[in-house]
Amino acid sequence: MFRFCRRIVGSYCESRSTFCLRLFGVLVAVQFIVSVATGQRGDVATPWPFFKPTPQNVTYRIGERAVMKCRVANLESRTITWRRHGQTHPLTIGEFTFAPDPRLSVDHDQKTDEWSLVIEDVRPDDEGSYLCQITVKTDPNKYSYRIQLNVKTVRLTGTEYVELGRPIRLLCNASSGRRYDHIAWFFEDRPVDADVTSGLFITTKFETRSVQSTVVIAKSGARHQGVYECRTSGGDTDSMAVHVLDDFLINQRKRNKGIFADRIIGEDGSGRKMPTRASTAAHDSALSIWLQLSLLPSAIYRLILF
């Protein structure tokens, strides 16, 4: 429409006063302002791209598969580029990977227009800020989506559910690549020290690029239920809750998960199914009911005959 008006005003003003020329200039200026404000290219309106909300602070443990999601609307023919904050060379452009690290790749979901940067076997040096950018002619920083990747260097594993009286074993593995002086243990925010008389043992093994510390409680009691935490000298931490189950709690877990689907952690720290007095009694009760029901038809048949 602006082009049509310009042609009419231009042809009219070829032999007219300077007022018409000024009017022609106003039309050109209005067209420019409208095209910038609405994203018009010529006479066709093109919406500007924008980022949809995705997590901007993600945390993974060493060795896990880290995924940073970037979702864009109105991308059209534009391209998504991933790069680390503060670096000029791109990690990926579109669906192509330019980083020499084979652990990096980009995952594109065409249905949601989601472009995810994937890092396999994530390491501590992968921690930092990453930018998902849309290639536009204007300032690229205006169309950047920043995601912070955190890599936990400490992992606490071991006995999560334990039957009353059985051992508890917790393993804290710190492998950040830097040297640690020690690992401290805490229970409900209180320091934990080895006590041989009460059956609490702590052993620590230092290696070149990692350190492992183990807590073993020979005989679990109700007082041992709670949150355990290990902290390195570098300030890295991890925690987990330990639940000590008596017969009542074991039966409750069986009702929630199925009579024979209970999962108790054994002395070796691995999960395995373990028969208990409660499960044996439940099994005998179910067997008795099944036998009575199986004999019911014959009993009814005898009553009819006699």
Side-chain angles (χ1 to χ4, degrees):
M1 183 183 70
F2 282 104
R3 292 179 178 176
F4 177 72
C5 293
R6 276 161 37 194
R7 284 197 296 268
I8 294 178
V9 174
S11 60
Y12 176 78
C13 291
E14 285 180 357
S15 58
R16 299 299 189 274
S17 63
T18 56
F19 171 78
C20 293
L21 295 177
R22 292 177 181 176
L23 179 61
F24 178 78
V26 170
L27 286 174
V28 173
V30 169
Q31 181 187 10
F32 174 76
I33 294 172
V34 171
S35 63
V36 171
T38 61
Q40 288 183 349
R41 295 176 180 175
D43 292 333
V44 180
T46 303
W48 290 105
F50 64 92
F51 295 101
K52 293 184 177 180
T54 57
Q56 291 186 267
N57 197 314
V58 295
T59 302
Y60 294 92
R61 288 188 172 93
I62 291 178
E64 291 184 334
R65 184 175 187 262
V67 180
M68 289 167 280
K69 298 181 179 181
C70 179
R71 190 174 298 174
V72 183
N74 304 329
L75 183 62
E76 296 188 351
S77 60
R78 303 177 183 92
T79 307
I80 292 294
T81 300
W82 278 98
R83 58 169 41 92
R84 291 197 71 160
H85 179 67
Q87 296 183 1
T88 56
H89 61 275
L91 301 174
T92 65
I93 298 178
E95 298 184 0
F96 299 95
T97 304
F98 288 86
D101 193 338
R103 300 178 302 120
L104 272 66
S105 63
V106 62
D107 185 16
H108 178 212
D109 188 341
Q110 295 183 352
K111 294 181 179 179
T112 60
D113 224 351
E114 187 173 270
W115 299 78
S116 300
L117 181 64
V118 180
I119 305 178
E120 304 286 350
D121 189 22
V122 68
R123 301 191 298 238
D125 54 357
D126 295 323
E127 185 172 273
S129 296
Y130 292 79
L131 299 178
C132 173
Q133 296 182 324
I134 304 173
T135 55
V136 292
K137 294 181 180 180
T138 58
D139 184 8
N141 294 324
K142 183 180 179 181
Y143 294 95
S144 296
Y145 195 76
R146 185 169 177 174
I147 299 178
Q148 175 67 30
L149 172 63
N150 307 300
V151 180
K152 294 191 68 172
T153 60
V154 176
R155 186 171 187 179
L156 178 57
T157 57
T159 308
E160 183 178 1
Y161 293 95
V162 61
E163 191 174 356
L164 184 68
R166 291 187 174 274
I168 297 175
R169 184 176 184 272
L170 303 176
L171 173 64
C172 182
N173 191 342
S175 54
S176 68
R178 56 180 181 268
R179 182 72 177 178
Y180 292 119
D181 296 330
H182 68 277
I183 288 182
W185 286 90
F186 296 84
F187 173 70
E188 296 293 337
D189 292 328
R190 298 189 302 271
V192 175
D193 298 317
D195 187 356
V196 178
T197 58
S198 64
L200 194 155
F201 306 91
I202 299 178
T203 58
T204 303
K205 180 181 179 181
F206 292 93
E207 298 181 356
T208 304
R209 300 178 62 85
S210 65
V211 58
Q212 294 181 348
S213 184
T214 305
V215 165
V216 176
I217 301 174
K219 187 177 181 180
S220 61
R223 68 183 184 280
H224 297 129
Q225 177 169 291
V227 177
Y228 291 80
E229 180 185 7
C230 64
R231 302 178 188 174
T232 68
S233 56
D236 300 320
T237 67
D238 197 12
S239 62
M240 66 175 292
V242 173
H243 306 272
V244 180
L245 308 179
D246 56 16
D247 286 342
F248 174 77
L249 292 176
I250 291 175
N251 291 333
Q252 288 293 108
R253 280 175 56 80
K254 290 179 184 295
R255 293 189 187 99
N256 294 336
K257 294 189 175 182
I259 293 178
F260 305 107
D262 194 27
R263 186 175 177 86
I264 302 296
I265 306 298
E267 296 181 7
D268 58 352
S270 61
R272 67 176 186 269
K273 296 177 183 177
M274 299 176 61
T276 61
R277 292 189 302 273
S279 63
T280 303
H283 178 270
D284 294 341
S285 177
L287 181 61
S288 176
I289 294 173
W290 180 81
L291 289 174
Q292 293 179 21
L293 292 176
S294 63
L295 294 175
L296 185 60
S298 62
I300 295 175
Y301 179 72
R302 289 179 181 180
L303 289 175
I304 293 174
L305 290 179
F306 299 103

